[in-house]
Amino acid sequence: RMSVPPSRGCLLDLPWEDILVPHVLCHLPLQQLLRLQRVSRAFQSLVQLFLANMRCFDSSKIGPAIPRAAFVNLMKDNEVLHQLVLQNCSDWLTDRELLPVIGQNHHLQQIQLKGCAQLSRHALVAISLSCPNLRRLSLAHCEWVDSLSLRSLADHCKALEAVDLTACRQLKDEAICYLAQKCGKLKSVSLAVNANVGDGAVEEIAKCCPELEHLDLTGCLRVKNDSIRVLAEYCPKLRSLKVKHCHNVAESSLSILRGRGVELDVEPPLQRALVLLQDVVGFAPFINLQI
């Protein structure tokens, strides 16, 4: 008896916008999508449709070797991005590639540009003018960030909740104070590895940002006890504070926060001494900690 083979449909016969884009392609890594669009013109059109409706672009999912031309091609039709992560693109990413993407995506809520050293202050100005809904921004190790561009960010992105300015060495207290005054919803701020940041910036953040939960002051050598006490007074929601290598911050100010259960990255003096003693002579386990 002869059986009739079942008819086989093509994947591309499924509805693109209702099935393939939201339920199939969204589960494929970007690297596979790049390969898939080489299969045929139809698959190329399908992938381009997906890319045009993609809400999140994360370069780390492709790898640091993403070609510049590939990035431009991937982003050329997208106007609905909510998240843009470009931290692995420092070797080739310049204003020329980034500005068109920023200019056509006005719904961006999170931007990650950590270590993108070849950008300029114009990138931050473009972000401030094009992304009024921005919530989270990482500019860590972007030494091109200056006071004027940060003021532009503060003037236009007042819904900002988290900003990472680690090692943005051009910034001084005045610019940080202006940011705090304009962006009172900040919950997470990093000013780490910035020798120009002092008590003025920390006190202004404390007084203007009552929702503050996380503050990183690692290596801010000009920060002293006075500003830490102001932080304790004005920020009841503070959950973590990093002050490692802040040599002018002592336990006299930290103990207030420690008593409230705030997570600190430095140990109390006695515990720190015991750890050092144990490392040197191995006696710490025999010391009665309840004395």
Side-chain angles (χ1 to χ4, degrees):
R1 181 181 298 179
M2 296 182 62
S3 60
V4 179
S7 59
R8 295 183 178 180
C10 175
L11 176 67
L12 295 174
D13 291 338
L14 294 172
W16 287 17
E17 295 187 7
D18 296 330
I19 301 296
L20 293 183
V21 169
H23 299 293
V24 178
L25 296 192
C26 64
H27 297 292
L28 296 179
L30 282 173
Q31 284 183 325
Q32 293 188 14
L33 288 173
L34 293 176
R35 297 190 188 104
L36 184 62
Q37 66 178 351
R38 301 191 192 118
V39 173
S40 67
R41 290 184 178 180
F43 273 109
Q44 183 180 19
S45 298
L46 174 61
V47 172
Q48 284 299 133
L49 176 64
F50 170 79
L51 294 173
N53 290 277
M54 184 170 52
R55 299 296 180 92
C56 172
F57 178 83
D58 188 344
S59 64
S60 64
K61 295 181 179 179
I62 299 179
I66 173 178
R68 178 181 309 179
F71 172 76
V72 173
N73 183 58
L74 287 170
M75 295 287 97
K76 65 180 182 180
D77 298 322
N78 194 302
E79 298 180 358
V80 295
L81 275 180
H82 284 193
Q83 183 177 355
L84 181 62
V85 180
L86 296 173
Q87 61 183 12
N88 290 329
C89 304
S90 57
D91 290 339
W92 57 265
L93 184 68
T94 68
D95 291 355
R96 183 176 181 179
E97 292 78 35
L98 180 64
L99 264 58
V101 177
I102 297 298
Q104 66 191 32
N105 281 281
H106 304 292
H107 304 287
L108 277 164
Q109 297 180 11
Q110 180 174 346
I111 300 176
Q112 165 69 269
L113 298 175
K114 180 179 179 181
C116 292
Q118 296 192 52
L119 297 175
S120 76
R121 60 184 301 273
H122 299 295
L124 186 53
V125 173
I127 289 171
S128 65
L129 296 177
S130 299
C131 308
N133 300 314
L134 194 64
R135 298 289 189 275
R136 306 181 66 86
L137 176 62
S138 175
L139 300 169
H141 302 281
C142 293
E143 297 195 13
W144 44 266
V145 176
D146 61 8
S147 297
L148 288 177
S149 57
L150 192 69
R151 289 174 72 93
S152 178
L153 178 74
D155 285 334
H156 297 93
C157 298
K158 297 182 180 180
L160 203 61
E161 296 179 356
V163 60
D164 187 348
L165 300 172
T166 298
C168 292
R169 304 179 193 276
Q170 290 193 56
L171 298 178
K172 298 181 180 180
D173 279 7
E174 182 182 2
I176 304 300
C177 289
Y178 191 84
L179 176 70
Q181 293 163 6
K182 295 291 185 176
C183 300
K185 296 181 180 180
L186 282 170
K187 296 181 179 180
S188 177
V189 179
S190 176
L191 304 173
V193 198
N194 193 330
N196 295 319
V197 170
D199 286 344
V202 177
E203 291 179 11
E204 200 67 20
I205 290 173
K207 294 176 180 179
C208 297
C209 305
E211 302 297 317
L212 189 69
E213 297 178 359
H214 307 283
L215 180 60
D216 189 347
L217 300 173
T218 304
C220 294
L221 303 179
R222 295 178 58 230
V223 173
K224 302 181 179 67
N225 285 321
D226 289 345
S227 62
I228 302 302
R229 293 190 182 96
V230 173
L231 196 66
E233 180 180 356
Y234 283 89
C235 297
K237 297 184 179 181
L238 191 67
R239 293 166 52 192
S240 70
L241 174 66
K242 294 183 178 181
V243 288
K244 189 173 289 186
H245 307 301
C246 294
H247 304 305
N248 294 313
V249 175
E251 184 64 21
S252 59
S253 61
L254 293 176
S255 60
I256 304 171
L257 294 170
R258 204 184 299 278
R260 279 179 18 199
V262 175
E263 180 182 347
L264 303 174
D265 63 343
V266 292
E267 301 292 345
L270 177 59
Q271 185 171 348
R272 187 160 59 245
L274 292 177
V275 171
L276 292 174
L277 186 60
Q278 183 178 17
D279 291 341
V280 175
V281 294
F283 288 165
F286 304 100
I287 298 176
N288 185 357
L289 297 180
Q290 295 182 351
I291 296 176

